[in-house]
């Protein structure tokens, strides 16, 4: 009798632990009811939190992919995913997917898997609308801003070694300095620059100049080895492109006159591994 009671107790305890914990996939990052998706909160045109609303190209692609996976907008929990924390968040199961200008690199692929890409960006230059700067060559002696810790100015100096680097903590600070005339230009991915140029506060004040001179493939960050989700993501991205919704999302978030490399965009998702 005592043995039967003990066995029943172990079974009940096991059942209780299963119900409380569940798998990482269901309890932390996604289930039949909700899915947690990582985005940026501070990038206009890409991932921006405005009170309780979320806007941007990353957000629109995330919503489309989630919908194709069976999650309506009311079933999405957006989670802020700072660049330095993205790999850890995926590994821990804090989020199921990350759409956050997450460039696909060989180094990152050692830690996480990627769906997509869903956009191929490139570094470019933003100036005031009335500036006489027309290309990277015209930046000699000009004050050019990017954020602290970024390699953008170093990349640009390979094109124009005589520019004068200026560093701020945030891109929004670079944009304010450009608007006030404290600097002559700012540089980073063309998508981020277009997001600022298309923002209401700066509309008509800025312009993108020159062609992009790097390639940044924006992928969907996934937990390492999650091939099943990768294949669902790629299928959804392909459908978004074919339906015309991808182009609509790019133009509505980055501006109808946003110049992007049509040889690289819209991109074709890579094979999942």
């Amino acid at each position: 009798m005592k043995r039967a009671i003990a066995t029943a107790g172990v079974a009940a305890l096991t059942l209780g632990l299963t119900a409380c914990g569940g798998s990482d996939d269901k309890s932390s990052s996604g289930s039949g009811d909700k899915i947690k998706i990582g985005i940026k909160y501070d990038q206009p045109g890409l991932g921006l939190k405005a009170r309780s609303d979320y806007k941007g190209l990353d957000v629109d692609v995330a919503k489309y992919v989630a919908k194709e996976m069976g999650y309506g907008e009311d079933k999405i929990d957006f989670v802020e995913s700072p660049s330095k924390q993205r790999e850890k968040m995926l590994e821990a199961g804090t989020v199921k997917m990350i759409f956050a200008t997450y460039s696909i690199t060989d180094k990152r692929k050692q830690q996480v898997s990627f769906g997509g890409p869903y956009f191929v960006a490139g570094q470019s230059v933003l100036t005031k609308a009335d500036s006489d700067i027309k290309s990277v060559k015209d930046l000699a002696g000009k004050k050019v801003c990017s954020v602290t810790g970024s390699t953008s100015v170093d990349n640009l100096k390979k094109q124009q070694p005589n520019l004068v680097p200026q560093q701020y903590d945030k891109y929004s600070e670079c944009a304010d300095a450009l608007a006030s005339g404290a600097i002559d230009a700012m540089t980073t991915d063309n998508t981020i620059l277009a997001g600022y140029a298309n923002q209401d506060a700066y509309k008509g004040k800025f312009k993108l100049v020159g062609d992009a001179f790097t390639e940044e493939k924006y992928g969907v960050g996934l937990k390492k080895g999650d091939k099943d989700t990768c294949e669902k993501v790629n299928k959804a991205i392909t459908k978004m492109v074919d339906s015309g919704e991808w182009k609509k999302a790019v133009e509505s978030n980055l501006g109808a006159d946003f110049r992007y490399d049509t040889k690289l965009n819209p991109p074709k998702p890579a094979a999942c591994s």
Side-chain angles (χ1 to χ4, degrees):
M1 183 66 176
K2 290 182 179 179
R3 183 178 179 181
I5 292 173
T7 302
V10 171
L13 178 60
T14 302
L15 180 61
L17 290 173
T18 302
C20 293
S23 69
D24 286 345
D25 181 60
K26 291 185 178 180
S27 64
S28 298
S29 56
S31 70
D33 296 323
K34 288 275 190 176
I35 186 168
K36 292 185 178 181
I37 299 178
I39 61 170
K40 292 287 182 67
Y41 277 12
D42 59 352
Q43 290 185 341
L46 294 160
L48 184 68
K49 182 179 181 182
R51 296 183 181 179
S52 60
D53 193 19
Y54 302 92
K55 302 177 180 180
L57 177 61
D58 290 349
V59 175
D60 285 351
V61 177
K63 287 179 178 178
Y64 191 97
V65 170
K67 179 192 70 176
E68 292 300 309
M69 291 173 62
Y71 299 93
E73 290 187 24
D74 61 329
K75 302 299 182 183
I76 300 173
D77 283 338
F78 284 117
V79 180
E80 185 174 19
S81 300
S83 296
K84 292 181 179 181
Q85 297 179 21
R86 289 179 298 200
E87 288 81 11
K88 292 180 180 178
M89 293 176 74
L90 288 168
E91 184 179 357
T94 306
V95 293
K96 181 74 171 177
M97 306 182 287
I98 290 180
F99 297 73
T101 57
Y102 203 178
S103 296
I104 300 171
T105 67
D106 289 338
K107 183 178 179 180
R108 286 171 177 162
K109 287 197 293 188
Q110 294 176 14
Q111 296 179 271
V112 301
S113 292
F114 284 99
Y118 58 90
F119 194 88
V120 182
Q123 189 177 331
S124 190
V125 175
L126 191 72
T127 66
K128 295 187 74 172
D130 59 358
S131 171
D132 58 0
I133 297 172
K134 296 180 179 179
S135 70
V136 174
K137 294 180 181 179
D138 298 326
L139 293 174
K142 302 294 186 181
K143 296 179 180 179
V144 183
C145 175
S146 193
V147 296
T148 303
S150 169
T151 60
S152 296
V153 168
D154 291 336
N155 291 338
L156 191 58
K157 287 186 75 173
K158 295 175 184 177
Q159 310 286 321
Q160 175 47 268
N162 297 317
L163 60 82
V164 182
Q166 304 289 304
Q167 289 192 325
Y168 291 79
D169 290 334
K170 299 178 181 179
Y171 287 119
S172 58
E173 294 175 0
C174 286
D176 288 341
L178 180 59
S180 70
I183 61 171
D184 301 296
M186 61 183 284
T187 185
T188 184
D189 291 359
N190 56 356
T191 49
I192 297 173
L193 297 176
Y196 279 104
N198 200 45
Q199 202 174 22
D200 288 341
Y202 304 118
K203 242 173 192 176
K205 296 182 179 180
F206 298 154
K207 66 179 179 181
L208 278 163
V209 299
D211 295 322
F213 50 88
T214 65
E215 285 185 22
E216 306 294 337
K217 296 180 180 179
Y218 291 169
V220 182
L222 305 168
K223 191 170 186 177
K224 183 68 174 177
D226 191 354
K227 187 175 180 180
D228 180 60
T229 302
C230 176
E231 290 175 347
K232 291 176 181 177
V233 166
N234 286 356
K235 183 177 179 180
I237 291 172
T238 300
K239 184 176 179 178
M240 187 177 188
V241 169
D242 292 344
S243 68
E245 291 299 312
W246 178 90
K247 184 177 181 181
K248 187 184 298 183
V250 171
E251 292 182 351
S252 64
N253 288 296
L254 302 179
D257 59 348
F258 172 58
R259 293 171 55 192
Y260 57 83
D261 193 330
T262 55
K263 293 180 181 179
L264 302 175
N265 289 291
K268 293 182 179 179
C272 299
S273 58

